[in-house]
């Protein structure tokens, strides 16, 4: 009987320790890779990240669907829209970072053959503080960049 109580106490203690884990970590959701409308043009990646680490930054995105990826932001100046590369992207004060159509996005250059709408591709995110995160993203056709376009 005594062994059972000490085991339960140890399991409870370990659960409390796990809940107090403050190591930097990031979670991703709604990751989508959009194929280009024209062969040879860049694709794009969109996603939403959440971190528990204040002041962290996204430094780089890599995917097996493209030869290289660059972080970009769509900007409007003087009534003209354009894109500017980003060296990194800081998380908002609430711990979120969104890359969405018409805003921040990852430009995917040298798209690799074999990735078609409906397939999956790996994406790896590199951060300033948190360890790298690798996920699987949905590959979608041109114009289907946000998670709301599923099935369209």
């Amino acid at each position: 009987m005594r062994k059972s109580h000490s085991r339960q106490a140890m399991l409870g203690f370990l659960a409390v320790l796990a809940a107090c884990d403050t190591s930097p970590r990031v979670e991703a959701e709604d990751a989508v890779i959009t194929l280009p409308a024209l062969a040879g043009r860049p694709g794009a990646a969109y996603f939403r990240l959440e971190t528990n680490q204040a002041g962290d930054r996204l430094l780089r995105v890599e995917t097996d669907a493209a030869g290289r990826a660059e972080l970009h932001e769509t900007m409007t100046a003087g009534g003209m829209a354009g894109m500017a590369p980003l060296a990194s992207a800081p998380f908002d004060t609430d711990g979120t970072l969104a890359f969405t159509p018409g805003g921040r996005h990852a430009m995917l250059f040298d798209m690799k053959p074999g990735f078609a709408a409906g397939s999956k591709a790996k994406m790896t995110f590199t951060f300033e503080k948190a360890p790298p995160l690798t996920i699987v993203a949905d590959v979608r056709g041109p114009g289907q960049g946000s998670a709301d376009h599923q099935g369209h």
Side-chain angles (χ1 to χ4, degrees), residues 33-46:
I33 290 175
T34 302
L35 297 170
L38 299 172
R41 302 293 297 165
Y46 307 103

Side-chain angles (χ1 to χ4, degrees), residues 16-96:
V16 168
L17 279 179
C20 295
D21 180 16
T22 57
S23 59
R25 69 180 174 279
V26 176
E27 295 179 2
E29 56 186 38
D30 300 330
V32 175
I33 290 175
T34 302
L35 297 170
L38 299 172
R41 302 293 297 165
Y46 307 103
F47 45 86
R48 186 179 186 308
L49 302 172
E50 280 191 41
T51 185
N52 67 339
Q53 185 69 38
D56 207 350
R57 305 174 76 76
L58 174 64
L59 302 177
R60 182 172 61 251
V61 175
E62 297 171 281
T63 176
D64 59 351
R68 67 184 171 92
E70 293 179 6
L71 305 179
H72 280 228
E73 184 168 26
T74 302
M75 306 174 78
T76 304
M80 299 292 289
M83 284 186 283
L86 298 171
S88 65
F91 281 83
D92 294 334
T93 55
D94 66 356
T96 61

Side-chain angles (χ1 to χ4, degrees), residues 98-111:
F99 274 51
T100 58
R104 289 179 286 210
H105 55 280
M107 293 288 294
L108 306 179
F109 297 94
D110 306 321
M111 297 295 292

